[in-house]
Amino acid sequence: MNNKAMLFDYVLHLADNQVIMAQRLSELCGHGPALEQDIAITNISLDLIGQARLLFQYAGKLDGRDEDQLAFLRDVHEFRNVLLVEQPNHDFAHVIVRQYLFDEFNFLNYQALCQSKDEDLAAIATKALMEVKYHRRFSRNWMLRLGDGTAISRQKMQDALNDLWSYPGEFFEMTGGEEILAKAGIAADVASMKPTWLANVTQTVKEASLVIPEGDWHQTGGKKGIHSEHLGHILAEMQFLQRAYPGQTW
Amino acid sequence: MSTNQDWPLWEVFIAAKRGLSHKHVGSLHAADSEMALENARDVYTRRKEGESLWVVQSKYIFASNPEENDAFFEPAKNKVYRHPTFYELPDEVKKM
């Protein structure tokens, strides 16, 4: 792989993380537990779609395809998002835990990318960081509120944490191309972020009177295009319009 | 599910800019002050409506009674001399 192909792959991975997380959250539009939460979650989804657009546009500059082609005309195995973001909205506890685990990572990742030697990536990261800072505040407060809430809410949060705990490990795995880009000061060195991420998450989980699940094993594959069965269903809905009516615009 | 029963009502005040007074813009439901602030941010400031937010639980607002409006507000109506409209403004003073 040459440098341009590696960078394309990397930017696509960043974009796919945002767009799939956004698509998952958008499913809750009109179904939030209260009107105020409905709007809050939709806002986060729209923030992430905005970030995904900037990243797709940049990836498109490297590849020749436009943002819609990249988002709507690639198949499952071409997506590079981490597996966590495609996990289903099982209940509100799962939505919050998934969001929080991702937000803590997304924040550290963008923070590092603000220093990237690639000016486009640094500019996108600087804009996105402000938004993600709020996402993290939102999801963290809900971790505390529900974890330290009633016996039932606590149990649901612990169940969600246990269910999802095997996914974040993948955040910190680096592909070969990513390592080369990180050495060149372009990509973020995600492997080095694990201790900070774990310390932040552990602090929140403790404050929320929850327990970090045992075990070190983690799911992997998303960054290489090997996905859970959920992504196909997400894409079927997300891509329907462009597949059925190619080139359709608003 | 009735969230009204579970979550108290809050009133939301926004200052459009630093230095301007906070104006009442509406209300929302939230379980605690932190959630009320975040909900207010998400519901009422999506279009850059302001730079400062206050939330206060509705039950702490003590309001005048519309039935007593006669005694409360009528007497001020025929006291035009309380308005500073009898001064002549110098031309240099703008934005009054």
Side-chain angles (χ1 to χ4, degrees):
Chain A
M1 254 204 294
N2 62 27
N3 277 2
K4 203 169 160 186
M6 280 189 299
L7 184 59
F8 173 74
D9 222 41
Y10 178 63
V11 178
L12 217 50
H13 154 66
L14 295 174
D16 288 345
N17 274 353
Q18 317 306 329
V19 79
I20 298 302
M21 183 83 263
Q23 181 67 18
R24 263 293 182 236
L25 292 175
S26 76
E27 292 169 13
L28 291 166
C29 183
H31 301 276
L35 178 140
E36 290 84 351
Q37 299 322 311
D38 202 282
I39 294 177
I41 288 168
T42 311
N43 273 348
I44 293 175
S45 175
L46 285 171
D47 283 348
L48 296 177
I49 288 173
Q51 296 171 17
R53 284 195 62 189
L54 294 174
L55 290 161
F56 279 137
Q57 284 163 6
Y58 181 42
K61 270 201 238 166
L62 303 164
D63 172 79
R65 279 179 276 182
D66 70 21
E67 51 177 321
D68 281 355
Q69 288 172 315
L70 288 173
F72 299 126
L73 298 178
R74 282 180 302 139
D75 209 346
V76 171
H77 66 276
E78 295 167 279
F79 272 75
R80 293 287 177 268
N81 59 278
V82 292
L83 297 170
L84 179 73
V85 298
E86 65 198 49
Q87 299 311 305
N89 301 327
H90 180 65
D91 59 15
F92 193 63
H94 279 73
V95 170
I96 291 301
V97 171
R98 184 186 63 202
Q99 195 61 37
Y100 174 67
L101 298 176
F102 179 66
D103 289 344
E104 281 286 5
F105 167 71
N106 219 16
F107 179 82
L108 292 174
N109 201 23
Y110 276 133
Q111 198 176 41
L113 280 173
C114 288
Q115 312 299 323
S116 171
K117 284 186 181 152
D118 182 307
E119 285 176 11
D120 290 271
L121 274 183
I124 294 170
T126 306
K127 180 185 178 291
L129 190 66
M130 290 299 115
E131 295 172 346
V132 173
K133 218 172 179 177
Y134 183 79
H135 303 167
R136 188 181 62 164
R137 174 195 162 113
F138 174 87
S139 59
R140 185 176 192 278
N141 277 335
W142 272 103
M143 289 286 291
L144 303 182
R145 196 172 286 125
L146 293 176
D148 198 13
T150 65
I152 292 175
S153 75
R154 192 190 165 281
Q155 189 56 53
K156 288 190 171 199
M157 289 298 277
Q158 188 63 55
D159 289 349
L161 194 57
N162 295 347
D163 283 355
L164 296 170
W165 190 246
S166 63
Y167 291 99
E170 186 191 17
F171 298 166
F172 312 105
E173 282 182 351
M174 293 175 82
T175 62
E178 208 175 339
E179 272 175 6
I180 294 172
L181 289 172
K183 281 206 182 91
I186 292 168
D189 179 8
V190 286
S192 70
M193 294 173 193
K194 193 171 183 180
T196 313
W197 179 88
L198 191 61
N200 294 349
V201 169
T202 304
Q203 171 68 25
T204 301
V205 165
K206 241 190 216 167
E207 264 183 65
S209 351
L210 299 168
V211 185
I212 296 276
E214 279 176 33
D216 227 8
W217 178 84
H218 67 261
Q219 304 268 1
T220 180
K223 291 172 90 164
K224 298 184 201 98
I226 304 162
H227 291 277
S228 63
E229 71 274 25
H230 304 298
L231 186 61
H233 293 276
I234 294 175
L235 295 187
E237 191 167 309
M238 187 173 101
Q239 300 183 333
F240 167 78
L241 200 107
Q242 279 302 320
R243 300 279 191 189
Y245 306 96
Q248 194 64 254
T249 55
W250 289 107
Chain B
M1 189 175 85
S2 168
T3 50
N4 295 23
Q5 270 179 1
D6 303 333
W7 292 354
L9 195 63
W10 299 71
E11 301 300 325
V12 182
F13 300 83
I14 298 179
K17 277 186 188 157
R18 193 174 294 194
L20 293 183
S21 56
H22 289 69
K23 292 218 162 66
H24 183 239
V25 292
S27 54
L28 50 75
H29 291 102
D32 53 59
S33 49
E34 199 66 41
M35 195 203 288
L37 205 56
E38 286 171 11
N39 287 350
R41 182 259 193 198
D42 285 322
V43 178
Y44 289 108
T45 69
R46 305 178 75 228
R47 298 175 185 86
K48 296 179 73 170
E49 284 89 341
E51 294 185 358
S52 174
L53 270 174
W54 288 352
V55 289
V56 61
Q57 262 199 56
S58 308
K59 68 176 180 187
Y60 291 123
I61 290 187
F62 192 67
S64 65
N65 183 349
E67 286 173 14
E68 290 174 327
N69 271 10
D70 281 357
F72 256 64
F73 305 116
E74 266 313 299
K77 273 189 183 164
N78 55 14
K79 296 183 173 63
V80 286
Y81 51 84
R82 288 181 180 170
H83 292 274
T85 53
F86 303 100
Y87 299 95
E88 290 208 2
L89 278 183
D91 290 341
E92 290 79 12
V93 180
K94 298 195 169 78
K95 294 179 181 168
M96 283 290 278

